[in-house]
Amino acid sequence: MEAALSRLEEAVEAHLVDLERAEIERLKDGADDSVLSGDDDVLPPENRSQHLARLGDQLSRTAVQMTLLHNSVASGEASPSSVSPSMTSLATDMLNHAAHLAKLTLGARVSHDGACYTRAIHRASEAVLESTRDLALTLNGRTGAVNPANGARSYFLDATHSSRTSRALMTTGMTWDAANALKSLPANNGAAVQREIDSCIYMLQDALDELKDAIAVARESNASGESSEDAPDAHAIPDDDDDDAFRSTAGGADLPTLILARAVINVCQLLLRKTSVRVAPLAENSSEGIAWADSLAAIARDLSAASDDVAVAVDPLDVEELRVAATALLSNGNLLAEKALLFADEESRAWFAKCADKLQTDANALFLLIGEGGDADVKAAAAAPNR
């Protein structure tokens, strides 16, 4: 029994090394990912996902059966010799499942399946293999730890039955969760790209919400600087010479800067939303479509990072950081619009062109405002209620 669990642990560790090596190779520019395939035949992504989902079921069931046997021995209900044949058989089954999982995962090719899909199944499979390795260690009376200094793993005996029992239940739960995640893998690269873009849209919404709150605080602060009788209308455009109307709050950006920063992020989010709905029907039509969809996901990730940088830069205000982040937003927003136009119909082309113009206008106004003291006309326009 111990020997079978040790073989399982060693085999899974070897599969994890193979996955890591494959991921490193895929990140190299110009790498021929066909040489990394574990399959002789290229499976359609939909078939690969179905196979992985079935493997997830098999892995989770086997993990539970192994843990029940282990805990029956730990509790004294059964002797080690009585469960040894069954545990050995289950460990062998788990080893075969892990090998099949690694082969299916390594068989995904960026050139055929797409980068986003390949990355999604790699991450999911890695989580399953890591939890399976930890389960094998626990059932064999050992546990492992990673040295944060060099990443090396070390192992030690887990002597007490109660500790091993609770650890077995915990690692079984982790294996179950990781294996179940295989059932919800994207069906193909178009679905994987859509998931990544939707996640980025959510992150942009976080930045928009943060700026919305900051705008509300700034407006309240501006209003509190006046008596209740003299307080300006919330939707009124301040006088050009009224510096108090643009008072910063607690070191944060003034109201027009906040409004313009939010406007730029909002346009980028609109671009992402419009692009997302067009990814699925186009991403799988050709290798060109797959590469196009992957490039959209990369732009979306950059937009998400830049929007977060903008939200951070305005409170407290860091003009240089805001300029850098806004420049990244503008650059990636324009790139997104340009990519989207490649597959857009005539009506969508007009929409994307209009959106790109709006992005450029708002970004230019923001750059002007955070420049040499800003411009009074820009400030007044930024504070207008229709923004």
Side-chain angles (χ1 to χ4, degrees), residues 163-178:
S163 174
R164 288 169 58 182
T165 300
S166 61
R167 191 182 296 276
L169 291 173
M170 181 181 70
T171 51
T172 300
M174 294 171 61
T175 304
W176 180 278
D177 289 342

Side-chain angles (χ1 to χ4, degrees), residues 201-357:
I201 289 172
Y202 179 81
M203 296 300 293
L204 262 68
Q205 188 59 51
D206 275 353
L208 288 171
D209 291 342
E210 288 181 29
L211 288 170
K212 181 180 179 180
D213 291 341
I215 289 169
V217 170
R219 281 181 170 147
E220 182 179 348
S221 177
N222 288 350
S224 66
E226 304 285 342
S227 68
S228 59
E229 294 180 356
D230 298 331
D233 183 272
H235 299 300
I237 299 176
D239 293 333
D240 292 348
D241 298 328
D242 186 0
D243 291 335
D244 287 340
F246 303 101
R247 185 183 296 108
S248 297
T249 59
D254 57 26
L255 181 58
T257 302
L258 290 168
I259 292 174
L260 281 169
R262 191 171 190 273
V264 172
I265 295 176
N266 188 57
V267 177
C268 290
Q269 190 190 55
L270 287 173
L271 280 167
L272 276 179
R273 289 186 186 279
K274 183 77 169 181
T275 305
S276 176
V277 300
R278 299 189 58 79
V279 168
L282 295 171
E284 303 303 320
N285 289 344
S286 63
S287 58
E288 181 185 15
I290 291 175
W292 171 77
D294 282 328
S295 70
L296 291 179
I299 296 170
R301 292 192 294 270
D302 290 339
L303 279 173
S304 177
S307 70
D308 188 56
D309 290 341
V310 167
V312 170
V314 296
D315 193 13
L317 177 61
D318 186 322
V319 172
E320 184 55 34
E321 289 296 324
L322 179 56
R323 184 181 291 110
V324 171
T327 300
L329 268 180
L330 175 62
S331 174
N332 284 289
N334 283 333
L335 185 57
L336 181 65
E338 179 183 324
K339 290 278 186 182
L341 285 171
L342 292 175
F343 290 89
D345 54 29
E346 186 173 348
E347 182 180 352
S348 296
R349 282 176 177 273
W351 187 91
F352 279 115
K354 183 178 179 180
C355 222
D357 288 342

Side-chain angles (χ1 to χ4, degrees), residues 26 33 108-115 118 290 294:
R26 283 191 175 94
D33 61 7
R109 306 177 185 180
V110 172
S111 58
H112 177 267
D113 301 296
T118 302
I290 291 175
D294 282 328

Side-chain angles (χ1 to χ4, degrees), residues 126-200:
E126 185 177 16
V128 173
L129 291 173
E130 286 178 347
S131 60
T132 301
R133 175 199 59 200
D134 293 344
L135 179 62
L137 278 169
T138 299
L139 299 183
N140 219 7
R142 302 165 65 213
T143 188
V146 177
N147 186 334
N150 55 20
R153 291 185 63 86
S154 57
Y155 303 97
F156 52 91
L157 291 176
D158 195 357
T160 65
H161 283 309
S162 60
S163 174
R164 288 169 58 182
T165 300
S166 61
R167 191 182 296 276
L169 291 173
M170 181 181 70
T171 51
T172 300
M174 294 171 61
T175 304
W176 180 278
D177 289 342
N180 270 345
L182 294 176
K183 302 176 188 177
S184 58
L185 285 171
N188 50 46
N189 198 55
V193 169
Q194 241 174 339
R195 285 190 188 183
E196 289 207 17
I197 291 179
D198 289 345
S199 175
C200 292

